[in-house]
Amino acid sequence: MADINKKRIIITAVIGGTIFAGVVLVVDKLLGRNFSWQRLVFYFVFGVIMYGFLTYRNFKKHNKR
């Protein structure tokens, strides 16, 4: 069974948020939008929160088994 490890959840969330923000940045560039730090920071924070929540929920679900 997987233990709920906070360090592992945080590392996964930061990596996932970084990848998500990078993908959104590339898509914005392909669509011809200008670069915006506010948008990039928003997507990074949003990605970190969502990936952290999903990883935590996944560990919790696998811990019940």
Side-chain angles (χ1 to χ4, degrees), residues 21 24-25 28 33-45:
V24 170
L25 183 65
D28 280 350
R33 295 182 185 153
N34 292 333
F35 177 77
S36 170
W37 279 105
Q38 290 90 5
R39 190 180 314 136
L40 184 65
V41 169
F42 171 75
Y43 283 129
F44 175 75
V45 171

Side-chain angles (χ1 to χ4, degrees), residues 1-19:
M1 289 194 192
D3 290 335
I4 298 176
N5 187 350
K6 290 180 184 179
K7 182 179 177 182
R8 204 164 146 193
I9 292 172
I10 292 170
I11 290 172
T12 304
V14 169
I15 290 171
T18 303
I19 292 171

